[in-house]
Amino acid sequence: MTDNNENKIKPKFRFTKKDIKKQNSFIYQIKRAISLGFIFLNLVKKSK
Amino acid sequence: MAKILIAGSGFAGHYGALILNDILKNKGTHEITVITPNTTFNYLPSLVWVGVNKMKAEKTQFNLKKIYDKVNINFKHAFIKEVHPDNNFVIIEPSDIDSDVKNLNNKHSGKMLSENANGKQHSTNGKAYNENANINKPNNINSANIGEANQNKIEYDFLLMATGPKLNFEATENLNPEFGYNNSICTPHHAMDTAKNYLALIERMKKGDKAKIFVGTGHGTATCQGAAFEYIANIHYDLVERKLRDRAEITWLSNEPKLGDFGMDGVEVRKESLIYTSEMMAEGVFNYCDIKYQIRSHVHKIDDKKIYTENIDGEFKELDCNFAMLLPPFTGNSIKWIGKNGEDIKEKICNPAGFIKVDAAYGKSYEELDGPDWPKTYQTQLYKNIFAAGINFAPPGPLSKPNKSPNGTTISPAPPRTGYTAELSGKAAALNIADMVEGKEPSHNASMADTPGLCVASMKEGFFNGLAGTIAVYPVARNRKEYPEYGRNLDYSVAEVGKAGGWYKVGLHYSFLYKLQAKPGWKIIP
């Protein structure tokens, strides 16, 4: 239902099975939460 | 002694008041007054959960007066009707709004849900509730009867305007939820009504009905696509949980120039040697969730059966619809600005949309606009003792590429200035007022071209089963002078989906509500 030509011809981006597995994996997501925490802290420091 | 007035009690106004009070409490006797038509602070980012009946609305609010009494800030439950900047006073009118949803039965007495001919739920409450009602109420106080309203005259030395926007539902025919064709999660009461309508839809689907659901923006210039993105994903996962997903066709309807734009020109993320974008993230989510999408679209009208759209190519479409949650555009509110001779000076103070002009470089084209053009101190240039923060300040231009259809319809998302961005601008304005109280020049900068944007978009509620799209970007407004390649520092960019974001979303809900209630240690929470 996209209404622009660019989207009609380009291949659609899809999550791979590996992406979905990562999104739902507790261990991987705990690691991501720690990484995101550091990124957020750095960003907060930049906004001071 | 300085008299400081803060108009509004959202992220910018309320947090600005707390910061200012904390800084000035040991620096002489200063008087801080917050004027707001609301009785509660409303944590709007969590209303997405209220709108799918996963959270009670009362968990998103707290009573303002209790907090202000605790920290010695004056609280005026009132609308600002006029500002007289040459004479340093405002005219207020007492508010009769009780925004506390616990008192809903009193405010919405006689409210009921009924079905129209299409079997679609719509609200028939007689009295519209609107947190931004100051812009919708008749302005019955003017300069001619100031004498009568002297008790409503409040003088100030410094004024921080942070009243938030008008939810301009009137820009699109029948978009206002009061008409019963559209839903909204913009206020606690809207979100509660939306939950009722959503649950009624669920009941019909359980009986075998199929539903066409549209979520997104209800106008070519609307913003807050992130909130709509959260809502559509929450609806998808809720229907999956209820085993009803196969009975719904869900469509993302938006004014964005590209998927994942979110009104801020999208996000690029460096992953090893590749550049991954928020467009890919949104497309991945929509394809995985089987959500259709129509972007680059303006909504002209909505009725009980259809949504009438026009896309960037000028094509008009009529989309069959059973349930819609389309966000309205924002405009400035209808506060009058009166000059020293009683003349209307609003045009000097505000841009055509009614937002207050501050220290930005206005008038540049999208192509010319760059980071240094965005406001830094949020001080108005005509009146140095007046500041505007949050959604109230006029941005110098859009962040997303503006477009017009061949028919002349503007399809250009407005820049988002809500949530964390609003809080940062409110804090900077408060700190700059503190500077001026101490006889210094404003020195605090919270330019959107120098501060980060953080958006954790819930997709599925819950701590263990939750899921969210996490978007972080630095800075929000592209600053090509500083970062020539992308206008942003990609070392801080994030665009990903996962449980980690879901945990942060829950954490943000509780930490923000804790901080904004000025509970012990609130100052160390960023």
PDB file of all heavy atoms in Angstrom, chain A residues 29 31-42, chain B residues 470 472 494 496 500-501 504:
ATOM      1  N   GLN A  29      19.876  -9.417  25.263  1.00  0.00           N
ATOM      2  CA  GLN A  29      19.239  -8.140  25.590  1.00  0.00           C
ATOM      3  C   GLN A  29      19.798  -7.538  26.881  1.00  0.00           C
ATOM      4  O   GLN A  29      19.826  -6.322  27.029  1.00  0.00           O
ATOM      5  CB  GLN A  29      17.723  -8.323  25.680  1.00  0.00           C
ATOM      6  CG  GLN A  29      17.056  -8.538  24.318  1.00  0.00           C
ATOM      7  CD  GLN A  29      17.264  -7.362  23.376  1.00  0.00           C
ATOM      8  OE1 GLN A  29      17.206  -6.215  23.777  1.00  0.00           O
ATOM      9  NE2 GLN A  29      17.520  -7.652  22.102  1.00  0.00           N
ATOM     10  N   LYS A  31      22.922  -7.748  27.672  1.00  0.00           N
ATOM     11  CA  LYS A  31      24.147  -7.092  27.170  1.00  0.00           C
ATOM     12  C   LYS A  31      23.806  -5.771  26.477  1.00  0.00           C
ATOM     13  O   LYS A  31      24.477  -4.766  26.650  1.00  0.00           O
ATOM     14  CB  LYS A  31      24.863  -8.017  26.172  1.00  0.00           C
ATOM     15  CG  LYS A  31      25.544  -9.207  26.810  1.00  0.00           C
ATOM     16  CD  LYS A  31      26.204 -10.025  25.709  1.00  0.00           C
ATOM     17  CE  LYS A  31      26.680 -11.371  26.233  1.00  0.00           C
ATOM     18  NZ  LYS A  31      27.040 -12.291  25.147  1.00  0.00           N
ATOM     19  N   ARG A  32      22.729  -5.794  25.689  1.00  0.00           N
ATOM     20  CA  ARG A  32      22.325  -4.570  24.987  1.00  0.00           C
ATOM     21  C   ARG A  32      21.897  -3.492  25.983  1.00  0.00           C
ATOM     22  O   ARG A  32      22.172  -2.310  25.798  1.00  0.00           O
ATOM     23  CB  ARG A  32      21.168  -4.845  24.014  1.00  0.00           C
ATOM     24  CG  ARG A  32      21.551  -5.509  22.720  1.00  0.00           C
ATOM     25  CD  ARG A  32      22.664  -4.785  21.987  1.00  0.00           C
ATOM     26  NE  ARG A  32      22.331  -3.416  21.632  1.00  0.00           N
ATOM     27  CZ  ARG A  32      23.240  -2.451  21.450  1.00  0.00           C
ATOM     28  NH1 ARG A  32      24.523  -2.694  21.618  1.00  0.00           N
ATOM     29  NH2 ARG A  32      22.866  -1.230  21.114  1.00  0.00           N
ATOM     30  N   ALA A  33      21.202  -3.930  27.045  1.00  0.00           N
ATOM     31  CA  ALA A  33      20.735  -2.962  28.045  1.00  0.00           C
ATOM     32  C   ALA A  33      21.936  -2.256  28.680  1.00  0.00           C
ATOM     33  O   ALA A  33      21.907  -1.043  28.908  1.00  0.00           O
ATOM     34  CB  ALA A  33      19.907  -3.669  29.118  1.00  0.00           C
ATOM     35  N   ILE A  34      23.003  -3.020  28.925  1.00  0.00           N
ATOM     36  CA  ILE A  34      24.203  -2.407  29.511  1.00  0.00           C
ATOM     37  C   ILE A  34      24.820  -1.424  28.519  1.00  0.00           C
ATOM     38  O   ILE A  34      25.158  -0.287  28.859  1.00  0.00           O
ATOM     39  CB  ILE A  34      25.205  -3.504  29.934  1.00  0.00           C
ATOM     40  CG1 ILE A  34      24.598  -4.330  31.087  1.00  0.00           C
ATOM     41  CG2 ILE A  34      26.539  -2.899  30.356  1.00  0.00           C
ATOM     42  CD1 ILE A  34      25.317  -5.628  31.380  1.00  0.00           C
ATOM     43  N   SER A  35      24.948  -1.855  27.269  1.00  0.00           N
ATOM     44  CA  SER A  35      25.516  -0.963  26.243  1.00  0.00           C
ATOM     45  C   SER A  35      24.667   0.296  26.086  1.00  0.00           C
ATOM     46  O   SER A  35      25.188   1.414  26.020  1.00  0.00           O
ATOM     47  CB  SER A  35      25.577  -1.661  24.884  1.00  0.00           C
ATOM     48  OG  SER A  35      26.368  -2.798  24.972  1.00  0.00           O
ATOM     49  N   LEU A  36      23.339   0.097  26.028  1.00  0.00           N
ATOM     50  CA  LEU A  36      22.455   1.261  25.880  1.00  0.00           C
ATOM     51  C   LEU A  36      22.584   2.183  27.084  1.00  0.00           C
ATOM     52  O   LEU A  36      22.549   3.408  26.947  1.00  0.00           O
ATOM     53  CB  LEU A  36      20.998   0.809  25.726  1.00  0.00           C
ATOM     54  CG  LEU A  36      20.624   0.154  24.396  1.00  0.00           C
ATOM     55  CD1 LEU A  36      19.200  -0.388  24.446  1.00  0.00           C
ATOM     56  CD2 LEU A  36      20.757   1.147  23.246  1.00  0.00           C
ATOM     57  N   GLY A  37      22.742   1.593  28.263  1.00  0.00           N
ATOM     58  CA  GLY A  37      22.912   2.391  29.474  1.00  0.00           C
ATOM     59  C   GLY A  37      24.110   3.329  29.360  1.00  0.00           C
ATOM     60  O   GLY A  37      24.014   4.507  29.697  1.00  0.00           O
ATOM     61  N   PHE A  38      25.211   2.810  28.846  1.00  0.00           N
ATOM     62  CA  PHE A  38      26.403   3.659  28.671  1.00  0.00           C
ATOM     63  C   PHE A  38      26.146   4.753  27.632  1.00  0.00           C
ATOM     64  O   PHE A  38      26.552   5.902  27.815  1.00  0.00           O
ATOM     65  CB  PHE A  38      27.616   2.805  28.269  1.00  0.00           C
ATOM     66  CG  PHE A  38      28.248   2.095  29.441  1.00  0.00           C
ATOM     67  CD1 PHE A  38      28.202   0.722  29.558  1.00  0.00           C
ATOM     68  CD2 PHE A  38      28.877   2.837  30.442  1.00  0.00           C
ATOM     69  CE1 PHE A  38      28.779   0.067  30.647  1.00  0.00           C
ATOM     70  CE2 PHE A  38      29.463   2.193  31.539  1.00  0.00           C
ATOM     71  CZ  PHE A  38      29.408   0.809  31.646  1.00  0.00           C
ATOM     72  N   ILE A  39      25.483   4.375  26.554  1.00  0.00           N
ATOM     73  CA  ILE A  39      25.177   5.390  25.527  1.00  0.00           C
ATOM     74  C   ILE A  39      24.276   6.476  26.115  1.00  0.00           C
ATOM     75  O   ILE A  39      24.522   7.674  25.943  1.00  0.00           O
ATOM     76  CB  ILE A  39      24.505   4.732  24.290  1.00  0.00           C
ATOM     77  CG1 ILE A  39      25.499   3.820  23.576  1.00  0.00           C
ATOM     78  CG2 ILE A  39      23.974   5.792  23.324  1.00  0.00           C
ATOM     79  CD1 ILE A  39      24.893   2.980  22.463  1.00  0.00           C
ATOM     80  N   PHE A  40      23.237   6.057  26.852  1.00  0.00           N
ATOM     81  CA  PHE A  40      22.324   7.038  27.445  1.00  0.00           C
ATOM     82  C   PHE A  40      23.063   7.952  28.422  1.00  0.00           C
ATOM     83  O   PHE A  40      22.848   9.159  28.436  1.00  0.00           O
ATOM     84  CB  PHE A  40      21.171   6.333  28.180  1.00  0.00           C
ATOM     85  CG  PHE A  40      20.195   5.627  27.269  1.00  0.00           C
ATOM     86  CD1 PHE A  40      19.259   4.745  27.778  1.00  0.00           C
ATOM     87  CD2 PHE A  40      20.199   5.845  25.904  1.00  0.00           C
ATOM     88  CE1 PHE A  40      18.356   4.093  26.953  1.00  0.00           C
ATOM     89  CE2 PHE A  40      19.305   5.203  25.055  1.00  0.00           C
ATOM     90  CZ  PHE A  40      18.387   4.317  25.585  1.00  0.00           C
ATOM     91  N   LEU A  41      23.941   7.354  29.242  1.00  0.00           N
ATOM     92  CA  LEU A  41      24.679   8.179  30.210  1.00  0.00           C
ATOM     93  C   LEU A  41      25.543   9.211  29.502  1.00  0.00           C
ATOM     94  O   LEU A  41      25.615  10.369  29.905  1.00  0.00           O
ATOM     95  CB  LEU A  41      25.543   7.296  31.109  1.00  0.00           C
ATOM     96  CG  LEU A  41      24.809   6.614  32.263  1.00  0.00           C
ATOM     97  CD1 LEU A  41      25.760   5.699  33.024  1.00  0.00           C
ATOM     98  CD2 LEU A  41      24.206   7.638  33.216  1.00  0.00           C
ATOM     99  N   ASN A  42      26.212   8.787  28.430  1.00  0.00           N
ATOM    100  CA  ASN A  42      27.026   9.729  27.661  1.00  0.00           C
ATOM    101  C   ASN A  42      26.174  10.838  27.058  1.00  0.00           C
ATOM    102  O   ASN A  42      26.569  12.002  27.037  1.00  0.00           O
ATOM    103  CB  ASN A  42      27.773   8.987  26.545  1.00  0.00           C
ATOM    104  CG  ASN A  42      29.024   8.324  27.078  1.00  0.00           C
ATOM    105  OD1 ASN A  42      29.707   8.874  27.931  1.00  0.00           O
ATOM    106  ND2 ASN A  42      29.318   7.128  26.607  1.00  0.00           N
TER     107      ASN A  42
ATOM    108  N   THR B 470      14.184   1.323  20.369  1.00  0.00           N
ATOM    109  CA  THR B 470      14.977   2.351  21.046  1.00  0.00           C
ATOM    110  C   THR B 470      15.638   3.227  19.995  1.00  0.00           C
ATOM    111  O   THR B 470      16.310   2.722  19.094  1.00  0.00           O
ATOM    112  CB  THR B 470      16.065   1.707  21.920  1.00  0.00           C
ATOM    113  OG1 THR B 470      15.441   0.794  22.808  1.00  0.00           O
ATOM    114  CG2 THR B 470      16.842   2.745  22.715  1.00  0.00           C
ATOM    115  N   ALA B 472      18.048   6.649  19.714  1.00  0.00           N
ATOM    116  CA  ALA B 472      18.843   7.705  20.334  1.00  0.00           C
ATOM    117  C   ALA B 472      19.599   8.409  19.230  1.00  0.00           C
ATOM    118  O   ALA B 472      20.055   7.779  18.270  1.00  0.00           O
ATOM    119  CB  ALA B 472      19.826   7.129  21.353  1.00  0.00           C
ATOM    120  N   VAL B 494      21.330   5.216  17.988  1.00  0.00           N
ATOM    121  CA  VAL B 494      20.765   3.884  18.216  1.00  0.00           C
ATOM    122  C   VAL B 494      19.433   3.797  17.482  1.00  0.00           C
ATOM    123  O   VAL B 494      18.652   4.756  17.491  1.00  0.00           O
ATOM    124  CB  VAL B 494      20.513   3.638  19.727  1.00  0.00           C
ATOM    125  CG1 VAL B 494      19.857   2.279  19.950  1.00  0.00           C
ATOM    126  CG2 VAL B 494      21.800   3.732  20.534  1.00  0.00           C
ATOM    127  N   GLU B 496      17.070   0.379  17.290  1.00  0.00           N
ATOM    128  CA  GLU B 496      16.985  -1.074  17.393  1.00  0.00           C
ATOM    129  C   GLU B 496      15.736  -1.499  18.150  1.00  0.00           C
ATOM    130  O   GLU B 496      15.144  -0.715  18.894  1.00  0.00           O
ATOM    131  CB  GLU B 496      18.227  -1.632  18.087  1.00  0.00           C
ATOM    132  CG  GLU B 496      18.354  -1.229  19.550  1.00  0.00           C
ATOM    133  CD  GLU B 496      19.611  -1.799  20.195  1.00  0.00           C
ATOM    134  OE1 GLU B 496      20.687  -1.649  19.607  1.00  0.00           O
ATOM    135  OE2 GLU B 496      19.497  -2.398  21.287  1.00  0.00           O
ATOM    136  N   ALA B 500      15.506  -4.995  25.715  1.00  0.00           N
ATOM    137  CA  ALA B 500      16.252  -4.000  26.495  1.00  0.00           C
ATOM    138  C   ALA B 500      15.510  -2.666  26.486  1.00  0.00           C
ATOM    139  O   ALA B 500      15.368  -2.005  27.527  1.00  0.00           O
ATOM    140  CB  ALA B 500      17.665  -3.844  25.931  1.00  0.00           C
ATOM    141  N   GLY B 501      15.024  -2.280  25.310  1.00  0.00           N
ATOM    142  CA  GLY B 501      14.252  -1.038  25.211  1.00  0.00           C
ATOM    143  C   GLY B 501      12.986  -1.114  26.049  1.00  0.00           C
ATOM    144  O   GLY B 501      12.592  -0.135  26.690  1.00  0.00           O
ATOM    145  N   TYR B 504      13.867  -0.383  29.552  1.00  0.00           N
ATOM    146  CA  TYR B 504      14.096   1.061  29.749  1.00  0.00           C
ATOM    147  C   TYR B 504      12.788   1.834  29.757  1.00  0.00           C
ATOM    148  O   TYR B 504      12.622   2.805  30.491  1.00  0.00           O
ATOM    149  CB  TYR B 504      15.035   1.614  28.672  1.00  0.00           C
ATOM    150  CG  TYR B 504      16.489   1.410  29.049  1.00  0.00           C
ATOM    151  CD1 TYR B 504      17.266   0.464  28.409  1.00  0.00           C
ATOM    152  CD2 TYR B 504      17.066   2.158  30.076  1.00  0.00           C
ATOM    153  CE1 TYR B 504      18.586   0.251  28.775  1.00  0.00           C
ATOM    154  CE2 TYR B 504      18.383   1.963  30.445  1.00  0.00           C
ATOM    155  CZ  TYR B 504      19.147   1.006  29.790  1.00  0.00           C
ATOM    156  OH  TYR B 504      20.438   0.800  30.173  1.00  0.00           O
TER     157      TYR B 504
END
